[in-house]
Amino acid sequence: LEGEGLMIPASWSSDNSQILILRYYSITHADIYVLDVDSGELTEILPDLDVAYGGIAFSHDDESIYAITDWDSDFRRILEVELDDFSVRQVSGDHDWDVEGMALAPDGSKLVYTINNGGNEELHMLNPDTGQTLDVPELPLGLIGGLQFNDDSSMLGFSHVSARSPGDAWSYDIASGELTRWTQSEVGGLDTDALVEPEVITFESFDGLEVPSFYYRAEGDGPRPVIIDIHGGPESQERPGFNSRIQYWVNELGISVLAPNVRGSAGY
């Protein structure tokens, strides 16, 4: 296929005869196509819609696709689209936060996804056919990526970034609930136990709006100097990831840090 614009191959069908393709225009607009590998024919899915899409994937039987989209909603959620008639149903719950990533188990029995809850990334899992929620591990505030099941759908692999880890590989045994950290990322000899994890606080703006913030509290009795660290934008967002600058302010200078998600931040 010689495509037009930014076209991203996203998912193979189970028999390797088709590829699901996302054509990206902007943060608010993308299109989805199915490419027939033998003929080169492109078929657009829901061609009349002008909406945003995130992750997309074939169902395990190739009769439908799962898509992260903001269609008919203030927030991105997961929808299932039947390929024969383009009928649509909602799969993920009503979280009032954006779904950011997802992965489907090879046997189709589990769908795992992450939501952006006030900047923190939360893990959720369900049976996509019944909607039954499934247990997931508890993780510190941070960011989750690289969601992937093993071949027999019994384990989930993912990466996790937090205030104390610049990014490590983890696995979760679904049956036993065992959570395993496989890597210890290089931090230049720092004692990661001494790094400060943020807490989520809110404060009221002039019109009553609750503004969320990540608060990194310096040790010791107050009062303490405080840095109010406002991110760029307008599409950006403060996230509770690994931030060596904030850790230096808190640990070396004894300054507490307040990192708010002001009006116009992404994710709201």
Side-chain angles (χ1 to χ4, degrees), residues 151-204:
D151 289 342
D152 66 5
S153 305
S154 65
M155 298 185 70
L156 173 69
F158 59 92
S159 63
H160 186 259
V161 179
S162 71
R164 291 177 172 173
S165 167
D168 283 295
W170 295 74
S171 66
Y172 174 64
D173 187 297
I174 297 168
S176 68
E178 182 181 4
L179 185 64
T180 304
R181 179 177 177 175
W182 290 93
T183 62
Q184 297 282 340
S185 291
E186 173 60 45
V187 291
L190 295 176
D191 178 8
T192 56
D193 291 335
L195 302 181
V196 177
E197 292 185 327
E199 57 182 299
V200 179
I201 67 170
T202 62
F203 58 88
E204 188 173 304

Side-chain angles (χ1 to χ4, degrees), residues 118 141 163 195-203 211-229 238-241 246-247 249-250 254-261:
L141 289 178
L195 302 181
V196 177
E197 292 185 327
E199 57 182 299
V200 179
I201 67 170
T202 62
F203 58 88
V211 178
S213 302
F214 294 104
Y215 182 47
Y216 299 78
R217 184 191 301 270
E219 289 187 358
D221 296 329
R224 287 280 184 172
V226 177
I227 290 175
I228 300 176
D229 185 21
E238 187 69 39
R239 308 296 298 268
I246 288 179
Q247 295 296 338
W249 289 338
V250 175
I255 301 174
S256 295
V257 178
L258 188 69
N261 272 312

Side-chain angles (χ1 to χ4, degrees), residues 12-19 34-39 62:
W12 283 95
S13 62
S14 60
D15 63 1
N16 298 324
S17 66
Q18 296 177 312
I19 303 174
V34 173
L35 171 67
D36 185 283
V37 175
D38 290 335
S39 69
D62 300 329

Side-chain angles (χ1 to χ4, degrees), residues 1-3 7 17-21 32-45 58 86:
L1 171 69
E2 183 175 346
M7 303 189 76
S17 66
Q18 296 177 312
I19 303 174
L20 201 55
I21 293 177
I32 302 175
Y33 298 88
V34 173
L35 171 67
D36 185 283
V37 175
D38 290 335
S39 69
E41 179 182 2
L42 270 181
T43 302
E44 186 173 358
I45 308 302
F58 279 108
F86 293 168

